[in-house]
Amino acid sequence: MRCFRELPVVPHVTELVGTLQRAGFEAYVVGGAIRDLLLGRAPKDYDVATAATPEEIRAVFGRRQARIIGKRFQLVHLMHGGELIEVSTFRRAPKSSAAGGEEDSDHLITSDNDFGTAEEDVWRRDFTINALFFDPVKSELIDFTGMGLADMERRVVRAIGEPRLRFEEDPVRLLRALKLVGQYDFSLEQETENALFSSLGLIRRASSSRLSLELEKILASSYGDRHLRTFHDYGFLHYFLPELDERWDSEVVRYAVDLLAVRNERVAAKLYRNSVSLAMAALALPFVEELHGHQPGELWPYGGRSFDLISSVLEKVFRPQQMINRMTISAERMLRLQPLLYSRDTEHNVAEAPGYAHGRELLMIQNECIWHRDDLAAAWPPGRSRDSRPRKRRRNSRSRHPERRRPMPPPGA
Ligand code: ATP
Ligand code: MG
């Protein structure tokens, strides 16, 4: 189904799509951006899909602007309008999906590099609301599944094809479905929901690096608290973050999720920048208090054994996911500073300490959540340390983490 729609795609993305089209290649904006624009929200980023192969995309934009990344799922990172845009080539459904079926008794997909047409590309996507294509040059919305637009209006998440098979092919789709539920307050379509409930355990087969990356994305979003609640409601948290799940009804976890929610509100209000390590620290903080025998909101004494406790807590809370070392170290730093910040310590040169800016923000989050003291913000100037400065985007920063290159990795990889 095709229809005319005005959607406010940012000009540089429209221009990028136009450039590909003028070079003779079909091209669309796809994925989450279209979903968000239809809901009247600002997209977090843009995904573009095109008939051009990675080599052809590079030929159109030049090597300086376009870099081919990934092996099992090749795509192009295009620097355009000062932003990095991921451009992928249309693919057809991999062999082991619903249409075909491999000899292999399980349906896990391990490679996903067969190029195809726009329509073929749609059927290998996960949910109908994620499979809408938009041509920003013609302002044309294309709903190849015929259900995407209606599902947007019904506010449902529906797997494309046979739901159980789609979850078997790539168990990370379980998590992706629940993220959509948590983020938009959508519900699962009945068959998708039945299949999800009977497939939850499959998540154990997903690669740990992909799951850790998902956790990183959840903590980097401003919906982390909502995602965790949804995961718990659907029984998924038990597999994903068992420590939080087991203690879900405790004061400790309630406070932890509240701290994350306040952090998210402050990010949304642009009071502080988004940071994964800060989100990690917010979630872990009540567990550190508890290990010291303290109640939520009662920080621990600075120094000594508390440092060891902090690292053990971080590991335990996020197990079995493995967070990047750099983030764990940063979370540790800001947690260590909390007792000093709270007591308005003047001896330790706190404002110059590494991690001060995030540490101060964590203090503000607790203050907003539980203490409501007037003196803390004034006592500590907003961060001047490295944390608060906007980061320079490191070129190819994901390449050190081989699983972290693709927006749509080969399912099951
Ligand atoms: P976000 O706003 O979080 O970026 P998104 O839906 O755009 O949400 P991406 O990970 O950027 O998520 O993926 C872009 C698109 O690629 C999705 O909308 C979906 O069509 C497709 N996709 C991503 N992951 C999968 C998957 N595991 N299986 C099938 N299709 C996928
Ligand atoms: Mg996206």
Side-chain angles (χ1 to χ4, degrees), residues 30-33 35-36 44-45 47 124-127 130-131 166 170 172-173 176 179-180 183-184 210 217 407-409 411:
V30 298
R35 199 181 62 213
D36 285 337
K44 148 169 102 32
D45 48 32
D47 303 296
R124 55 179 286 286
R125 292 180 181 268
D126 46 7
F127 306 107
N130 278 352
R166 300 310 307 281
D170 179 10
V172 173
R173 291 178 187 146
R176 291 180 55 85
K179 272 173 73 180
L180 290 168
Q183 180 164 343
Y184 300 110
R210 270 186 84 194
K217 288 204 290 196
M408 184 159 60

Side-chain angles (χ1 to χ4, degrees), residues 270-373:
K270 300 202 182 335
L271 290 172
Y272 197 74
R273 78 172 177 82
N274 205 342
S275 143
V276 175
S277 55
L278 181 56
M280 286 173 69
L283 265 180
L285 183 140
F287 289 87
V288 184
E289 290 176 331
E290 187 189 40
L291 264 187
H292 284 88
H294 292 193
Q295 295 298 312
E298 287 177 14
L299 290 166
W300 54 89
Y302 177 77
R305 210 171 95 74
S306 82
F307 290 177
D308 298 335
L309 285 180
I310 288 171
S311 21
S312 70
V313 165
L314 281 166
E315 206 217 317
K316 191 163 125 198
V317 170
F318 298 104
R319 212 164 33 211
Q321 316 312 333
Q322 284 166 1
M323 305 306 290
I324 297 175
N325 238 347
R326 167 173 54 78
M327 289 175 188
T328 307
I329 291 168
S330 164
E332 267 172 36
R333 274 188 187 144
M334 66 189 96
L335 282 165
R336 286 176 181 188
L337 289 179
Q338 294 311 304
L340 296 180
L341 289 163
Y342 185 78
S343 62
R344 302 179 49 181
D345 177 278
T346 48
E347 279 167 37
H348 286 84
N349 215 3
V350 180
E352 297 302 321
Y356 168 75
H358 280 359
R360 178 195 189 266
E361 175 62 11
L362 183 56
L363 189 79
M364 295 299 114
I365 291 169
Q366 293 166 87
N367 200 33
E368 198 167 318
C369 207
I370 197 161
W371 305 320
H372 312 292
R373 274 170 57 175

